[in-house]
C-alpha cells in the first residue's frame, strides 16, 4: 500500500493544473467540514447539497474516549457520497504516541486505498485543560508525534495528516521541520488568508478557515481540485 506523502501531494496538485484545454479555468477548491459529537449527528445529505465534498469526523481522544457520534456520522457521510476520514484529538500527557495511534486505528481512524477514505488526522494543538504543551519539552513533543505518525504509517500504509496552528507548533515543537516531507498539513487559521506555515511545509493540504459557517462544524478547504482530493483518498 503506497504511503500518502507531501511529495505525492505536490505531484497531484501540479497535475491537477494541467488541462487539455489551453484555456485554464480556475475551479473553486473543494469545501469540507470537520465535526464531532458537539454537532451531534449531521445531515450529510444536506451538507453535500450545500457544497460539501469532504469531511473529517472525530473518532477518538487520548486513549480512553471514543466519540459517541462517530459511527453514525461516518456512515451518514459515506451514504451521502462524501469523501471522509477520522481524526484523533491528541493528549500527549496521558500515554505514548504509539498507544494513541493504535487506539485511533482500532476505533475508526484507519485508512484504506478505496478512493473515499482520507488518511486519519492527528489533531495536535492547545491543551484544553492544562499546560499549553502538555508538560512536554519541544524535543519530547516531536518524539511523541513521530511515535504516533510512524505507528499509524506502519499499520495503514499512510502517514497521518497533521492538524495544528502555526503558533502552537512553533511554541510546542520548537517549529520542527521533521514532518514536512511525510505528513500532509492541515492548518487552522481563522482569517482571510493562511499566513505563515510551520517550518518545512511550503503549502497546506487542508485549511480550516472558520469555526462556523453555512454547514455544521468547522469550515475547511482542500488545496487543489476534486481529482487531487480523490487521489489522496486513493493513495
Amino acid at each position: 500500500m503506497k504511503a500518502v506523502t507531501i511529495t505525492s501531494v505536490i505531484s497531484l496538485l501540479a497535475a491537477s493544473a494541467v488541462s487539455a484545454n489551453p484555456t485554464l479555468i480556475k475551479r473553486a477548491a473543494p469545501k469540507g467540514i470537520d465535526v464531532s459529537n458537539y454537532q451531534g449527528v449531521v445531515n450529510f445529505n444536506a451538507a453535500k447539497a450545500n457544497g460539501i465534498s469532504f469531511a473529517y469526523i472525530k473518532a477518538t481522544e487520548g486513549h480512553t474516549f471514543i466519540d459517541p457520534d462517530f459511527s453514525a456520522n461516518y456512515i451518514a457521510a459515506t451514504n451521502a457520497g462524501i469523501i471522509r476520514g477520522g481524526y484523533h484529538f491528541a493528549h500527549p500527557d496521558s500515554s505514548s504516541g504509539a498507544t494513541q495511534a493504535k487506539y485511533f486505528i482500532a476505533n475508526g481512524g484507519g485508512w484504506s486505498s478505496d478512493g473515499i477514505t482520507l488518511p486519519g488526522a492527528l489533531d495536535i494543538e492547545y491543551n484544553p485543560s492544562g499546560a499549553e504543551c502538555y508538560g512536554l519539552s519541544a524535543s519530547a513533543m516531536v518524539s511523541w508525534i513521530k511515535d504516533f505518525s510512524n505507528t499509524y504509517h506502519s499499520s495503514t500504509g499512510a502517514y497521518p495528516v497533521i492538524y495544528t496552528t502555526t503558533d502552537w507548533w512553533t511554541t510546542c515543537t520548537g517549529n520542527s521541520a521533521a514532518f514536512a516531507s511525510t505528513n500532509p498539513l492541515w492548518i487552522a487559521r481563522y482569517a482571510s488568508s493562511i499566513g505563515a506555515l510551520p517550518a518545512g511545509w511550503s503549502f497546506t493540504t487542508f485549511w480550516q478557515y472558520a469555526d462556523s459557517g453555512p454547514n455544521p462544524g468547522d469550515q475547511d478547504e482542500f488545496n487543489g481540485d476534486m481529482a487531487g482530493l480523490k487521489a489522496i483518498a486513493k493513495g
Side-chain angles (χ1 to χ4, degrees):
M1 190 177 293
K2 186 171 63 177
V4 177
T5 67
I6 286 296
T7 301
S8 64
V9 171
I10 290 172
S11 298
L12 291 169
L13 294 179
S16 71
V18 177
S19 171
N21 188 332
T23 303
L24 295 180
I25 301 171
K26 181 175 175 57
R27 293 182 173 87
K31 297 296 188 291
I33 54 175
D34 58 277
V35 299
S36 69
N37 61 296
Y38 182 80
Q39 283 78 35
V41 179
V42 173
N43 184 338
F44 279 99
N45 285 319
K48 185 176 182 181
N50 201 32
I52 292 305
S53 300
F54 69 92
Y56 266 109
I57 302 164
K58 184 176 182 179
T60 51
E61 182 170 337
H63 63 276
T64 58
F65 179 80
I66 299 171
D67 191 291
D69 291 325
F70 171 75
S71 181
N73 275 325
Y74 202 80
I75 291 169
T78 304
N79 290 341
I82 289 173
I83 296 173
R84 72 291 182 269
Y87 77 85
H88 172 79
F89 191 97
H91 279 278
D93 54 342
S94 67
S95 55
S96 71
T99 295
Q100 293 191 30
K102 291 174 183 176
Y103 187 72
F104 178 43
I105 294 165
N107 293 286
W111 177 78
S112 59
S113 179
D114 56 11
I116 60 171
T117 305
L118 295 169
L122 172 64
D123 181 346
I124 186 90
E125 55 168 299
Y126 307 99
N127 185 352
S129 57
E132 180 179 9
C133 302
Y134 300 86
L136 273 64
S137 66
S139 60
M141 184 65 75
V142 170
S143 295
W144 191 97
I145 297 169
K146 283 183 179 178
D147 196 26
F148 184 102
S149 180
N150 290 339
T151 301
Y152 189 90
H153 177 256
S154 294
S155 177
T156 68
Y159 283 99
V161 173
I162 292 178
Y163 167 96
T164 194
T165 70
T166 300
D167 174 73
W168 185 91
W169 191 264
T170 300
T171 301
C172 296
T173 74
N175 205 19
S176 172
F179 303 91
S181 65
T182 51
N183 300 71
L185 177 65
W186 178 9
I187 201 73
R189 187 169 191 263
Y190 302 158
S192 59
S193 63
I194 294 171
L197 295 176
W201 283 288
S202 59
F203 66 91
T204 186
T205 300
F206 297 100
W207 173 25
Q208 185 189 85
Y209 60 86
D211 59 3
S212 63
N215 289 293
D218 300 318
Q219 312 297 296
D220 301 288
E221 183 177 283
F222 173 70
N223 183 16
D225 60 13
M226 276 302 299
L229 183 65
K230 290 176 180 178
I232 287 176
K234 185 67 176 174

